[in-house]
């Protein structure tokens, strides 16, 4: 009886070993995204899936439509489908730590993609330097204002408070603005968070600032191109578009077109093509049981998470061609 049980156990573990080997030869990656609304996330998904396929991996993609409960459910379902690795861009960096714990219990490594997941044991974080994004935005506006006699009056539109990146963008802006606020060279006229990163919420913030302060501001530090679009809509209605400096990030097509037409001043180009490739390669490595080499870490409240970073660049009308267009992100024709 004992030997039968042993034989059974041996057969089961052999089968498991064969299955694991097979799955590593053609790994399955679970990609859980917050949403696909902004243009960039569709690119992230398409490039990630294509690169993973080139490397012999299959990707199951889920998009949670900015809903934490749905993203938790998406991840639970990817776990139960037995993926080899999970790649997650969380809607809410704090809420998604529960999902990482479930993945851990199932022995599945988790990589955070572009947005950090807080207070849990993630294997890797593949990202852009979000603090630097905020620094580039504030530095561009301050640089353009230059030695103007008057202090620079700024309206700040932050991103979604549930997104750890939004806090980092603000932090980066604060790094540049703090000494200038202290010396009185910069004044904050109004500031607020655009819930869910929605352009219409950014527009409301802009409308409220105009209602309260009239035309008494010189620049809008909008956290991304989507919120910049909302703010510019409000500026257009007041005849102010093109007269106020407006920042953004993502190099969305609409954002780049506004830059060329003069209603938006700058964006931060984050080459998602490179990030998605980097992440797909790292995910396949993790699925095959090796850990990609890293040189940096970021504290997520639980541990210093190993990080892989991609470079970013500040873009305005002057260097649009040599950056966004030269890299093939948008064609010159699209920007006419
Ligand atoms: C990303 C930005 C994006 C924003 C809204 C942030 O986490 O870093 O690139 O514009 O989310 O989706």
């Amino acid at each position: 009886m004992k030997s039968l049980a042993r034989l059974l156990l041996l057969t089961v573990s052999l089968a498991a070993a064969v299955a694991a080997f097979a799955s590593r030869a053609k790994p399955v990656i679970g990609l859980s995204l917050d949403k696909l609304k902004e243009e960039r996330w569709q690119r992230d998904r398409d490039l990630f899936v294509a690169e993973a396929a080139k490397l012999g991996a299959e990707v199951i993609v889920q998009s949670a439509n900015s809903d934490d409960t749905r993203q938790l459910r998406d991840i639970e379902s990817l776990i139960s489908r037995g993926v080899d690795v999970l790649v997650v861009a969380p809607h809410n960096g704090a809420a998604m730590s529960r999902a990482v714990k479930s993945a851990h219990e199932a022995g599945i490594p988790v990589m955070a993609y572009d947005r950090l997941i807080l207070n849990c044991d993630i294997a890797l974080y593949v990202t852009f330097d979000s603090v630097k994004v905020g620094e580039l935005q504030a530095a561009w506006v301050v640089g353009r204002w230059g030695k103007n006699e008057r202090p620079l009056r700024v309206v700040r539109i932050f991103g979604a408070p549930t997104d750890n990146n939004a806090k980092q963008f603000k932090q980066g802006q604060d790094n540049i603005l703090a000494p200038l606020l202290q010396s009185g060279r910069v004044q904050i006229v109004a500031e607020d968070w655009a819930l869910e990163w929605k352009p219409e919420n950014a527009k409301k913030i802009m409308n409220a600032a105009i209602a309260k302060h009239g035309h008494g501001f010189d620049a809008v530090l909008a956290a991304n191109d989507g919120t910049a679009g909302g703010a510019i809509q409000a500026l257009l209605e007041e005849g102010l578009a093109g007269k106020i400096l407006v920042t953004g990030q993502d190099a969305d097509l609409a954002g780049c077109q506004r830059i060329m037409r003069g209603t938006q001043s700058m964006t931060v180009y984050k080459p998602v093509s490179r990030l998605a490739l980097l992440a797909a390669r790292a995910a396949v490595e993790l699925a095959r049981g090796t850990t990609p080499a890293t040189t940096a870490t970021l504290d997520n409240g639980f541990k210093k998470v190993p990080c892989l970073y991609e470079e970013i660049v500040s873009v305005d009308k002057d260097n649009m061609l040599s950056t966004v267009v030269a890299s093939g992100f948008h064609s010159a024709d699209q920007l006419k």
Side-chain angles (χ1 to χ4, degrees):
M1 196 60 200
K2 248 188 184 168
S3 53
L4 182 66
R6 239 186 252 133
L7 185 69
L8 262 176
L9 197 67
L10 190 70
T11 321
V12 169
S13 31
L14 253 175
V18 170
F21 182 77
S23 109
R24 279 175 188 170
K26 185 167 175 55
V28 181
I29 303 170
L31 176 62
S32 165
L33 296 172
D34 162 18
K35 60 181 166 175
L36 288 165
K37 260 182 222 134
E38 279 110 352
E39 184 185 305
R40 68 150 288 190
W41 297 111
Q42 297 170 23
R43 268 192 208 249
D44 289 83
R45 174 201 56 194
D46 295 346
L47 292 158
F48 184 97
V49 171
E51 182 65 12
K54 267 198 220 156
L55 299 169
E58 183 196 332
V59 187
I60 307 174
V61 185
Q62 305 273 21
S63 168
N65 203 21
S66 305
D67 179 340
D68 288 339
T69 316
R70 180 156 163 198
Q71 192 162 28
L72 283 168
R73 242 191 297 132
D74 285 349
I75 296 178
E76 290 297 346
S77 115
L78 290 168
I79 293 172
S80 63
R81 288 171 78 172
V83 296
D84 296 295
V85 60
L86 267 166
V87 179
V88 182
H91 167 250
N92 180 327
M96 235 22 68
S97 67
R98 239 178 69 198
V100 176
K101 281 177 194 132
S102 306
H104 249 266
E105 284 157 19
I108 301 170
V110 179
M111 177 203 300
Y113 182 74
D114 193 54
R115 294 179 177 171
L116 192 56
I117 310 172
L118 303 173
N119 303 314
C120 58
D121 193 355
I122 46 180
L124 189 66
Y125 180 34
V126 177
T127 188
F128 301 105
D129 184 341
S130 294
V131 173
K132 193 168 164 200
V133 171
E135 289 174 349
L136 290 180
Q137 294 169 327
W140 192 96
V141 165
V142 167
R144 184 52 61 103
W145 192 247
K147 301 214 179 330
N148 212 306
E149 298 273 282
R150 252 191 323 103
L152 170 71
R153 298 161 304 172
V154 182
V155 174
R156 300 179 75 185
I157 303 181
F158 310 124
T162 45
D163 177 359
N164 189 61
N165 284 359
K167 291 170 195 152
Q168 293 199 304
F169 302 142
K170 175 179 184 304
Q171 164 77 63
Q173 295 177 0
D174 288 345
N175 292 348
I176 302 293
L177 297 181
L180 301 165
L181 284 167
Q182 221 169 21
S183 68
R185 284 292 299 143
V186 171
Q187 293 168 1
I188 306 299
V189 172
E191 58 179 26
D192 207 346
W193 298 81
L195 298 183
E196 302 295 0
W197 284 105
K198 284 191 178 158
E200 57 266 38
N201 292 336
K203 180 169 187 285
K204 280 185 201 146
I205 296 170
M206 196 72 250
N207 284 334
I210 294 171
K212 196 155 172 212
H213 303 282
H215 297 177
F217 56 93
D218 312 293
V220 180
L221 277 173
N224 73 348
D225 289 342
T227 50
I232 289 166
Q233 197 52 43
L235 295 176
L236 273 170
E237 289 165 11
E238 290 294 317
L240 288 174
K243 298 180 185 153
I244 303 286
L245 304 174
V246 182
T247 66
Q249 79 168 290
D250 290 337
D252 276 359
L253 180 58
C256 291
Q257 287 169 336
R258 286 192 296 263
I259 291 175
M260 297 319 277
R261 288 173 200 150
T263 53
Q264 185 173 326
S265 314
M266 64 84 72
T267 186
V268 178
Y269 172 42
K270 303 178 10 177
V272 287
S273 358
R274 290 218 295 270
L275 193 75
L277 301 201
L278 188 69
R281 287 170 196 160
V284 170
E285 275 195 60
L286 283 174
R288 292 193 167 133
T290 50
T291 310
T294 51
T295 49
T297 59
L298 196 70
D299 200 328
N300 78 337
F302 176 81
K303 70 183 237 197
K304 286 191 167 35
V305 181
C307 293
L308 289 173
Y309 283 104
E310 263 305 336
E311 288 305 312
I312 53 174
V313 46
S314 183
V315 172
D316 56 22
K317 217 177 198 162
D318 294 340
N319 66 346
M320 181 70 77
L321 282 179
S322 63
T323 55
V324 171
V325 174
S327 71
F329 201 67
H330 301 307
S331 71
D333 273 353
Q334 285 174 297
L335 301 183
K336 274 182 188 151

mmCIF file of all heavy atoms in Angstrom, residues 34-35 38 40-41 90 114-115 128 130 163-166 169 196-197 223-226 249-250 252 270, ligand 1:
data_model
loop_
_atom_site.group_PDB
_atom_site.id
_atom_site.type_symbol
_atom_site.label_atom_id
_atom_site.label_comp_id
_atom_site.label_asym_id
_atom_site.label_seq_id
_atom_site.Cartn_x
_atom_site.Cartn_y
_atom_site.Cartn_z
ATOM 1 N N ASP A 34 -4.672 48.595 -15.638
ATOM 2 C CA ASP A 34 -5.728 49.395 -15.014
ATOM 3 C C ASP A 34 -6.819 49.688 -16.038
ATOM 4 O O ASP A 34 -8.004 49.482 -15.801
ATOM 5 C CB ASP A 34 -5.074 50.686 -14.485
ATOM 6 C CG ASP A 34 -6.060 51.797 -14.212
ATOM 7 O OD1 ASP A 34 -7.255 51.513 -14.086
ATOM 8 O OD2 ASP A 34 -5.617 52.967 -14.109
ATOM 9 N N LYS A 35 -6.401 50.172 -17.191
ATOM 10 C CA LYS A 35 -7.374 50.598 -18.219
ATOM 11 C C LYS A 35 -6.662 50.761 -19.539
ATOM 12 O O LYS A 35 -5.428 50.729 -19.596
ATOM 13 C CB LYS A 35 -7.992 51.938 -17.815
ATOM 14 C CG LYS A 35 -6.901 52.976 -17.690
ATOM 15 C CD LYS A 35 -7.372 54.320 -17.285
ATOM 16 C CE LYS A 35 -6.107 55.092 -16.881
ATOM 17 N NZ LYS A 35 -6.267 56.427 -16.562
ATOM 18 N N GLU A 38 -6.291 55.822 -22.094
ATOM 19 C CA GLU A 38 -5.300 56.693 -22.727
ATOM 20 C C GLU A 38 -4.571 55.930 -23.817
ATOM 21 O O GLU A 38 -4.302 54.734 -23.683
ATOM 22 C CB GLU A 38 -4.284 57.222 -21.713
ATOM 23 C CG GLU A 38 -4.793 58.410 -20.925
ATOM 24 C CD GLU A 38 -5.052 58.030 -19.496
ATOM 25 O OE1 GLU A 38 -4.980 56.821 -19.196
ATOM 26 O OE2 GLU A 38 -5.339 58.936 -18.693
ATOM 27 N N ARG A 40 -1.557 55.725 -24.637
ATOM 28 C CA ARG A 40 -0.305 55.045 -24.341
ATOM 29 C C ARG A 40 -0.499 53.593 -23.902
ATOM 30 O O ARG A 40 0.256 52.717 -24.283
ATOM 31 C CB ARG A 40 0.535 55.796 -23.298
ATOM 32 C CG ARG A 40 -0.025 55.825 -21.908
ATOM 33 C CD ARG A 40 1.088 55.904 -20.872
ATOM 34 N NE ARG A 40 1.834 54.655 -20.762
ATOM 35 C CZ ARG A 40 2.712 54.408 -19.821
ATOM 36 N NH1 ARG A 40 2.992 55.334 -18.930
ATOM 37 N NH2 ARG A 40 3.336 53.255 -19.727
ATOM 38 N N TRP A 41 -1.551 53.322 -23.131
ATOM 39 C CA TRP A 41 -1.725 51.966 -22.587
ATOM 40 C C TRP A 41 -2.024 50.949 -23.688
ATOM 41 O O TRP A 41 -1.728 49.768 -23.556
ATOM 42 C CB TRP A 41 -2.810 51.951 -21.505
ATOM 43 C CG TRP A 41 -2.437 52.797 -20.316
ATOM 44 C CD1 TRP A 41 -3.021 53.972 -19.925
ATOM 45 C CD2 TRP A 41 -1.372 52.557 -19.388
ATOM 46 N NE1 TRP A 41 -2.384 54.469 -18.814
ATOM 47 C CE2 TRP A 41 -1.378 53.627 -18.452
ATOM 48 C CE3 TRP A 41 -0.413 51.552 -19.237
ATOM 49 C CZ2 TRP A 41 -0.469 53.714 -17.391
ATOM 50 C CZ3 TRP A 41 0.500 51.642 -18.167
ATOM 51 C CH2 TRP A 41 0.459 52.704 -17.270
ATOM 52 N N PRO A 90 -1.131 48.703 -11.770
ATOM 53 C CA PRO A 90 -2.308 48.792 -10.894
ATOM 54 C C PRO A 90 -3.104 50.083 -11.068
ATOM 55 O O PRO A 90 -2.518 51.142 -11.307
ATOM 56 C CB PRO A 90 -1.690 48.751 -9.494
ATOM 57 C CG PRO A 90 -0.335 49.361 -9.672
ATOM 58 C CD PRO A 90 0.115 48.960 -11.050
ATOM 59 N N ASP A 114 5.229 50.050 -14.800
ATOM 60 C CA ASP A 114 5.081 51.511 -14.820
ATOM 61 C C ASP A 114 4.514 52.121 -13.529
ATOM 62 O O ASP A 114 4.846 53.235 -13.176
ATOM 63 C CB ASP A 114 4.269 51.996 -16.031
ATOM 64 C CG ASP A 114 4.393 53.509 -16.195
ATOM 65 O OD1 ASP A 114 5.540 53.976 -16.263
ATOM 66 O OD2 ASP A 114 3.367 54.212 -16.191
ATOM 67 N N ARG A 115 3.628 51.413 -12.836
ATOM 68 C CA ARG A 115 3.109 51.936 -11.564
ATOM 69 C C ARG A 115 3.488 50.962 -10.451
ATOM 70 O O ARG A 115 3.237 49.759 -10.582
ATOM 71 C CB ARG A 115 1.591 52.059 -11.618
ATOM 72 C CG ARG A 115 1.105 53.093 -12.611
ATOM 73 C CD ARG A 115 -0.399 53.100 -12.592
ATOM 74 N NE ARG A 115 -0.947 54.116 -13.463
ATOM 75 C CZ ARG A 115 -2.242 54.220 -13.754
ATOM 76 N NH1 ARG A 115 -3.088 53.356 -13.217
ATOM 77 N NH2 ARG A 115 -2.680 55.168 -14.550
ATOM 78 N N PHE A 128 9.540 54.188 -15.780
ATOM 79 C CA PHE A 128 10.259 55.428 -16.042
ATOM 80 C C PHE A 128 10.456 56.100 -14.687
ATOM 81 O O PHE A 128 9.762 55.772 -13.726
ATOM 82 C CB PHE A 128 9.411 56.358 -16.918
ATOM 83 C CG PHE A 128 9.040 55.771 -18.244
ATOM 84 C CD1 PHE A 128 7.751 55.305 -18.481
ATOM 85 C CD2 PHE A 128 9.967 55.682 -19.266
ATOM 86 C CE1 PHE A 128 7.401 54.766 -19.708
ATOM 87 C CE2 PHE A 128 9.624 55.143 -20.499
ATOM 88 C CZ PHE A 128 8.344 54.687 -20.718
ATOM 89 N N SER A 130 9.491 58.570 -12.466
ATOM 90 C CA SER A 130 8.339 59.475 -12.394
ATOM 91 C C SER A 130 8.662 60.777 -11.662
ATOM 92 O O SER A 130 8.062 61.821 -11.947
ATOM 93 C CB SER A 130 7.153 58.767 -11.749
ATOM 94 O OG SER A 130 6.734 57.719 -12.588
ATOM 95 N N ASP A 163 -2.989 56.722 -7.765
ATOM 96 C CA ASP A 163 -1.848 56.269 -8.572
ATOM 97 C C ASP A 163 -0.556 56.775 -7.925
ATOM 98 O O ASP A 163 -0.350 57.985 -7.824
ATOM 99 C CB ASP A 163 -2.018 56.823 -9.998
ATOM 100 C CG ASP A 163 -0.858 56.469 -10.913
ATOM 101 O OD1 ASP A 163 0.105 55.819 -10.466
ATOM 102 O OD2 ASP A 163 -0.918 56.874 -12.096
ATOM 103 N N ASN A 164 0.290 55.841 -7.518
ATOM 104 C CA ASN A 164 1.551 56.235 -6.867
ATOM 105 C C ASN A 164 2.373 57.170 -7.763
ATOM 106 O O ASN A 164 3.046 58.076 -7.282
ATOM 107 C CB ASN A 164 2.362 54.991 -6.523
ATOM 108 C CG ASN A 164 3.560 55.309 -5.661
ATOM 109 O OD1 ASN A 164 3.411 55.816 -4.554
ATOM 110 N ND2 ASN A 164 4.751 55.073 -6.168
ATOM 111 N N ASN A 165 2.294 56.972 -9.074
ATOM 112 C CA ASN A 165 3.042 57.841 -9.988
ATOM 113 C C ASN A 165 2.617 59.298 -9.834
ATOM 114 O O ASN A 165 3.448 60.196 -9.919
ATOM 115 C CB ASN A 165 2.802 57.436 -11.446
ATOM 116 C CG ASN A 165 3.570 56.192 -11.826
ATOM 117 O OD1 ASN A 165 4.294 55.652 -11.010
ATOM 118 N ND2 ASN A 165 3.403 55.745 -13.047
ATOM 119 N N ALA A 166 1.309 59.518 -9.650
ATOM 120 C CA ALA A 166 0.812 60.892 -9.560
ATOM 121 C C ALA A 166 1.501 61.615 -8.401
ATOM 122 O O ALA A 166 1.853 62.799 -8.501
ATOM 123 C CB ALA A 166 -0.701 60.895 -9.381
ATOM 124 N N PHE A 169 5.039 62.423 -9.550
ATOM 125 C CA PHE A 169 5.106 63.574 -10.461
ATOM 126 C C PHE A 169 5.066 64.859 -9.630
ATOM 127 O O PHE A 169 5.826 65.799 -9.858
ATOM 128 C CB PHE A 169 3.935 63.569 -11.463
ATOM 129 C CG PHE A 169 3.850 62.310 -12.308
ATOM 130 C CD1 PHE A 169 2.615 61.755 -12.638
ATOM 131 C CD2 PHE A 169 4.989 61.685 -12.765
ATOM 132 C CE1 PHE A 169 2.530 60.590 -13.410
ATOM 133 C CE2 PHE A 169 4.922 60.516 -13.541
ATOM 134 C CZ PHE A 169 3.684 59.974 -13.849
ATOM 135 N N GLU A 196 -9.211 59.957 -11.151
ATOM 136 C CA GLU A 196 -9.169 58.967 -12.246
ATOM 137 C C GLU A 196 -8.445 59.481 -13.484
ATOM 138 O O GLU A 196 -8.629 58.951 -14.573
ATOM 139 C CB GLU A 196 -10.582 58.489 -12.632
ATOM 140 C CG GLU A 196 -11.382 57.857 -11.509
ATOM 141 C CD GLU A 196 -10.784 56.557 -10.981
ATOM 142 O OE1 GLU A 196 -9.738 56.136 -11.479
ATOM 143 O OE2 GLU A 196 -11.350 56.004 -10.037
ATOM 144 N N TRP A 197 -7.667 60.543 -13.341
ATOM 145 C CA TRP A 197 -6.916 61.105 -14.469
ATOM 146 C C TRP A 197 -7.845 61.635 -15.572
ATOM 147 O O TRP A 197 -7.442 61.747 -16.730
ATOM 148 C CB TRP A 197 -5.996 60.055 -15.091
ATOM 149 C CG TRP A 197 -4.744 59.734 -14.340
ATOM 150 C CD1 TRP A 197 -4.510 58.599 -13.610
ATOM 151 C CD2 TRP A 197 -3.524 60.488 -14.274
ATOM 152 N NE1 TRP A 197 -3.232 58.623 -13.108
ATOM 153 C CE2 TRP A 197 -2.612 59.762 -13.500
ATOM 154 C CE3 TRP A 197 -3.119 61.724 -14.804
ATOM 155 C CZ2 TRP A 197 -1.319 60.217 -13.221
ATOM 156 C CZ3 TRP A 197 -1.836 62.171 -14.532
ATOM 157 C CH2 TRP A 197 -0.950 61.427 -13.752
ATOM 158 N N ALA A 223 -0.544 67.277 -15.143
ATOM 159 C CA ALA A 223 0.300 66.097 -14.909
ATOM 160 C C ALA A 223 0.499 65.228 -16.141
ATOM 161 O O ALA A 223 1.519 64.566 -16.263
ATOM 162 C CB ALA A 223 -0.283 65.275 -13.774
ATOM 163 N N ASN A 224 -0.484 65.194 -17.058
ATOM 164 C CA ASN A 224 -0.271 64.403 -18.298
ATOM 165 C C ASN A 224 -1.018 65.072 -19.445
ATOM 166 O O ASN A 224 -1.711 66.097 -19.253
ATOM 167 C CB ASN A 224 -0.674 62.934 -18.109
ATOM 168 C CG ASN A 224 -2.171 62.721 -18.039
ATOM 169 O OD1 ASN A 224 -2.947 63.670 -17.903
ATOM 170 N ND2 ASN A 224 -2.589 61.473 -18.127
ATOM 171 N N ASP A 225 -0.888 64.486 -20.636
ATOM 172 C CA ASP A 225 -1.501 65.123 -21.806
ATOM 173 C C ASP A 225 -3.025 65.091 -21.731
ATOM 174 O O ASP A 225 -3.697 65.996 -22.233
ATOM 175 C CB ASP A 225 -1.017 64.438 -23.097
ATOM 176 C CG ASP A 225 0.438 64.753 -23.395
ATOM 177 O OD1 ASP A 225 0.974 65.735 -22.834
ATOM 178 O OD2 ASP A 225 1.057 64.014 -24.183
ATOM 179 N N GLY A 226 -3.574 64.042 -21.120
ATOM 180 C CA GLY A 226 -5.030 63.957 -20.977
ATOM 181 C C GLY A 226 -5.560 65.109 -20.138
ATOM 182 O O GLY A 226 -6.507 65.812 -20.544
ATOM 183 N N GLN A 249 2.477 65.096 -20.281
ATOM 184 C CA GLN A 249 3.420 63.987 -20.435
ATOM 185 C C GLN A 249 2.733 62.887 -21.227
ATOM 186 O O GLN A 249 1.493 62.825 -21.246
ATOM 187 C CB GLN A 249 3.868 63.416 -19.086
ATOM 188 C CG GLN A 249 2.867 62.482 -18.435
ATOM 189 C CD GLN A 249 3.432 61.719 -17.263
ATOM 190 O OE1 GLN A 249 4.263 60.847 -17.425
ATOM 191 N NE2 GLN A 249 2.962 62.094 -16.073
ATOM 192 N N ASP A 250 3.475 62.071 -21.849
ATOM 193 C CA ASP A 250 3.058 60.883 -22.620
ATOM 194 C C ASP A 250 3.283 61.044 -24.124
ATOM 195 O O ASP A 250 3.256 60.055 -24.852
ATOM 196 C CB ASP A 250 1.580 60.476 -22.433
ATOM 197 C CG ASP A 250 1.302 59.903 -21.055
ATOM 198 O OD1 ASP A 250 2.259 59.408 -20.415
ATOM 199 O OD2 ASP A 250 0.138 59.954 -20.619
ATOM 200 N N ASP A 252 1.162 61.965 -26.203
ATOM 201 C CA ASP A 252 -0.054 61.505 -26.905
ATOM 202 C C ASP A 252 -0.167 62.264 -28.216
ATOM 203 O O ASP A 252 0.243 63.429 -28.291
ATOM 204 C CB ASP A 252 -1.307 61.882 -26.082
ATOM 205 C CG ASP A 252 -1.606 60.862 -25.011
ATOM 206 O OD1 ASP A 252 -0.878 59.856 -24.910
ATOM 207 O OD2 ASP A 252 -2.578 61.100 -24.257
ATOM 208 N N LYS A 270 7.805 59.584 -23.043
ATOM 209 C CA LYS A 270 8.209 58.348 -22.359
ATOM 210 C C LYS A 270 8.128 57.247 -23.413
ATOM 211 O O LYS A 270 7.023 56.856 -23.780
ATOM 212 C CB LYS A 270 7.257 58.070 -21.193
ATOM 213 C CG LYS A 270 7.214 59.236 -20.234
ATOM 214 C CD LYS A 270 6.306 59.186 -19.051
ATOM 215 C CE LYS A 270 5.606 58.007 -18.625
ATOM 216 N NZ LYS A 270 4.821 58.193 -17.393
HETATM 217 C C1 LIG B 1 1.339 57.073 -16.124
HETATM 218 C C2 LIG B 1 1.109 58.170 -17.141
HETATM 219 C C3 LIG B 1 -0.363 58.205 -17.555
HETATM 220 C C4 LIG B 1 -1.260 58.203 -16.320
HETATM 221 C C5 LIG B 1 -2.714 58.082 -16.696
HETATM 222 C C6 LIG B 1 0.393 57.232 -14.967
HETATM 223 O O1 LIG B 1 0.590 56.232 -14.025
HETATM 224 O O2 LIG B 1 2.675 57.108 -15.675
HETATM 225 O O3 LIG B 1 1.936 57.937 -18.254
HETATM 226 O O4 LIG B 1 -0.628 59.337 -18.300
HETATM 227 O O5 LIG B 1 -0.934 57.150 -15.465
HETATM 228 O O6 LIG B 1 -2.971 56.862 -17.281
#
